[in-house]
Amino acid sequence: MNKLLISNIEVIPGKKTVQHLGLVQGSTVRAKHAGKDIMAGLKNIFGGELSAYTDLLSESRQEALDRMTEQARAIGANAVINVRFSTSSITAGASEILAYGTAVVLEDK
């Protein structure tokens, strides 16, 4: 399987866009673990990184990217450009991470 190029810029140096395939997206909704929430509350008192939340967000971003990439491959893209992330609260304690971009076919100039 060829590696799909993922970029947050609109124009890839040395490449030209030969086909525009449209918007692709991937998302995941994650909830906090109650035990981790208690530990995060204690960390708020003493300060420092909330590593449980950092890990949760990192895993969520990767899952959203993987789903977006899967959708891009399914429609024949070899790149996704102008990639962005968005987050929103779904309910108390659960959030959505959305990754989206433009699926394209790129060729060397």
Side-chain angles (χ1 to χ4, degrees), residues 47-63:
E49 181 180 10
L50 303 175
S51 59
Y53 289 156
T54 300
D55 293 345
L56 176 67
L57 288 172
S58 179
E59 292 168 10
S60 299
R61 281 190 296 270
Q62 189 58 53
E63 182 66 34

Side-chain angles (χ1 to χ4, degrees), residues 4 6 23-31 58-75 77 80 83-85 95-101 103:
L4 198 82
I6 306 289
L23 177 72
V24 287
Q25 60 187 3
S27 69
T28 184
V29 176
R30 301 282 173 112
S58 179
E59 292 168 10
S60 299
R61 281 190 296 270
Q62 189 58 53
E63 182 66 34
L65 266 179
D66 290 347
R67 290 177 179 174
M68 180 192 74
T69 301
E70 185 179 314
Q71 186 180 20
R73 282 187 203 286
I75 60 174
V80 181
V83 172
R84 301 288 187 261
F85 288 96
S95 295
E96 176 191 36
I97 300 285
L98 171 68
Y100 61 98

